[in-house]
Amino acid sequence: MSNSAPKRLAILGATGSIGTQTLDIVRRHPELFSVAVLSAGSRVEDLIKYAEMFRPRLAVIARPELEGRLREALAPLGIATASGPQALCEAASADDVDMVVTATVGYSGLEPTVCAIKAGKEIALANKETLVVAGEYIRSLLDSCPQAKIYPVDSEHSAVAQCLVGENPDNVRRLIITASGGPFRTWPVEKIATATAADALLHPNWNMGAKITVDSATMLNKAFELIEAHYLFDIPADRITAVVHPQSIVHSMVEFNDGAIKAQLGVPDMRLPIAYALGRCSRLQGCSEPLTLERLSELTFEKPDELKFPCLGFARLSLERRGTTACTVNGANEVAVAAFLKGRIPFGKIYPAIAHAVEHATFVGRPGFDDYVASNAESRRLAEEFISKA
Ligand code: NDP
Ligand code: MG
């Protein structure tokens, strides 16, 4: 990267898994990055701690009732505070922000990302739900705001982006998105149905936030990543496949027309793809441990088992039906995962709760922003209705 002034970041979701790893990269590269905005959902004491360390201009907490505590702690340091979704949008489009890191979880990432695109910002996109919920809308918004640019943070999509460097897009035959298979890959179906939150949260390779860890266990995360890949790289859905690779060393691959396959390998450490996005697809020094090939056991690849993990099927359904389908899947999943984590439903009821919402939801074929808002609210209501009867 150049000798210019440090890039000013707005880190939305700074207290989470991606957020704190982003802060770790900022800490290692103060010559490249500074923090203009930090935000959190409800963990106000963590937000205060990071604001004290990184001294942003503004700290935003999603829950308005917590802003008083934030102000009390940060006003003496000259750090402004704000709360609520509107404040997040203003922060994502502020003049003193060069790049927005969208590391909030779930549907909450959509609106600030839309604001960031409209303001022509660079975006390091971790919040895949943005593209799942509203992929077509986001693509057309990007077309009308050419200054805005999305750099993927998700490790698989970062791997694909790295494989595509220097290649003619016309030569791409297919994208191969790898999946760890999650903690239940080798479990029998009957046992998976009764798995507890503690079981689902024990991911074999990655240490992530609770929601995406459960999504990895249902493999809905992989379905979401196929949708995300379609909208990020503009490749038809039938040329994007998933393969289970339990070691999480090959982060994804691209196959070309001549039969060559390029892959990106590395230890499972999100700091590498985060840094690659922050550096606008350039390489920063020392972001993760090097991969010692000699110490690796064999790398294995297998077909995903859609009978065991029916949530995988939501990728095909969403990309065939399009419109608000994936928005419905996402909203219902958020409610079902929250209910599962609270012990209200067993693991085996997550898929039926989503399927119930998809079956009964209003379908809008060419949605605008307000249709996504309505579809999200409806699917949450439908999933809740299913769960309360379960
Ligand atoms: P975490 O749950 O660890 O962190 C989520 C962050 O979002 C926290 O800062 C949280 O604040 C904040 N937040 C929660 N709800 C809201 C809300 N309603 N409004 C504003 N902020 C909110 O999640 P992860 O870091 O694991 O994941 C973040 C995103 O990145 C997800 O979309 C995920 O799919 C994606 N991703 C994550 C990977 C990972 O390795 N973790 C890998 C690839 C993608 P608080 O702490 O106060 O609750
Ligand atoms: Mg991923």
Side-chain angles (χ1 to χ4, degrees):
M1 286 176 77
S2 71
N3 298 327
S4 53
K7 186 185 291 187
R8 299 162 300 177
L9 305 178
I11 307 175
L12 311 184
T15 48
S17 162
I18 295 290
T20 51
Q21 293 179 88
T22 304
L23 288 171
D24 190 37
I25 293 162
V26 173
R27 192 183 293 116
R28 292 171 191 216
H29 291 283
E31 76 291 3
L32 297 178
F33 307 110
S34 67
V35 177
V37 179
L38 290 178
S39 90
S42 57
R43 281 184 279 186
V44 69
E45 296 306 326
D46 282 9
L47 181 58
I48 291 168
K49 181 177 77 183
Y50 294 123
E52 285 169 349
M53 276 182 211
F54 289 92
R55 301 299 173 113
R57 171 184 58 80
L58 172 69
V60 182
I61 189 89
R63 283 174 50 188
E65 67 274 23
L66 297 172
E67 197 193 331
R69 167 69 191 128
L70 193 63
R71 193 181 313 118
E72 173 193 59
L74 299 184
L77 302 177
I79 299 172
T81 57
S83 61
Q86 185 55 31
L88 221 49
C89 261
E90 284 165 17
S93 34
D95 286 343
D96 66 348
V97 168
D98 300 314
M99 180 181 258
V100 179
V101 182
T102 66
T104 61
V105 62
Y107 180 85
S108 68
L110 174 62
E111 210 176 339
T113 311
V114 167
C115 294
I117 296 172
K118 286 183 176 167
K121 301 295 183 195
E122 294 179 339
I123 298 159
L125 185 95
N127 182 265
K128 69 190 82 184
E129 293 91 340
T130 293
L131 286 172
V132 170
V133 167
E136 281 175 277
Y137 174 80
I138 295 288
R139 275 209 73 87
S140 66
L141 202 57
L142 284 166
D143 289 342
S144 58
C145 306
Q147 258 188 301
K149 186 152 170 46
I150 288 184
Y151 297 93
V153 166
D154 216 346
S155 57
E156 295 77 3
H157 306 75
S158 176
V160 168
Q162 292 176 58
C163 293
L164 289 174
V165 171
E167 300 289 350
N168 178 344
D170 293 341
N171 289 333
V172 173
R173 184 183 284 160
R174 63 178 178 133
L175 309 184
I176 306 164
I177 306 295
T178 52
S180 71
F184 304 142
R185 183 177 62 89
T186 57
W187 285 32
V189 181
E190 322 74 64
K191 195 174 162 203
I192 294 176
T194 57
T196 64
D199 297 325
L201 290 174
L202 270 183
H203 194 281
N205 304 338
W206 297 96
N207 184 8
M208 311 179 285
K211 191 257 180 187
I212 185 178
T213 307
V214 177
D215 289 351
S216 299
T218 58
M219 292 197 77
L220 184 61
N221 181 52
K222 211 44 58 180
F224 281 178
E225 290 183 354
L226 298 178
I227 299 171
E228 181 186 11
H230 169 69
Y231 289 115
L232 274 175
F233 302 110
D234 202 15
I235 304 277
D238 61 355
R239 292 203 276 126
I240 309 174
T241 49
V243 65
V244 173
H245 165 53
Q247 299 81 18
S248 297
I249 296 294
V250 176
H251 295 308
S252 278
M253 297 173 262
V254 178
E255 185 180 300
F256 296 92
N257 284 336
D258 60 357
I261 292 182
K262 276 168 86 174
Q264 187 255 324
L265 280 71
V267 295
D269 182 344
M270 283 307 295
R271 284 172 303 182
L272 193 149
I274 296 170
Y276 193 71
L278 295 185
R280 294 193 198 96
C281 300
S282 67
R283 301 203 179 275
L284 309 187
Q285 291 226 335
C287 287
S288 75
E289 290 301 311
L291 180 63
T292 312
L293 287 168
E294 294 83 354
R295 282 177 51 200
L296 285 183
S297 56
E298 59 177 5
L299 302 181
T300 59
F301 300 90
E302 58 196 65
K303 259 185 176 308
D305 186 342
E306 206 173 307
L307 289 176
K308 220 183 215 186
F309 300 104
C311 283
L312 277 168
F314 286 127
R316 200 174 42 250
L317 182 81
S318 301
L319 289 171
E320 275 169 15
R321 288 181 50 181
R322 305 179 88 86
T324 46
T325 306
C327 179
T328 301
V329 171
N330 179 72
N333 178 57
E334 286 187 26
V335 170
V337 168
F340 168 67
L341 287 171
K342 283 191 187 133
R344 289 179 64 207
I345 53 169
F347 188 81
K349 288 281 184 223
I350 296 177
Y351 169 78
I354 304 169
H356 171 85
V358 171
E359 192 186 330
H360 293 94
T362 312
F363 174 75
V364 182
R366 294 199 141 270
F369 187 81
D370 292 344
D371 296 308
Y372 293 117
V373 175
S375 168
N376 175 56
E378 184 192 51
S379 67
R380 285 168 181 272
R381 189 175 49 68
L382 287 166
E384 187 50 52
E385 173 187 284
F386 177 90
I387 288 162
S388 52
K389 288 184 196 151

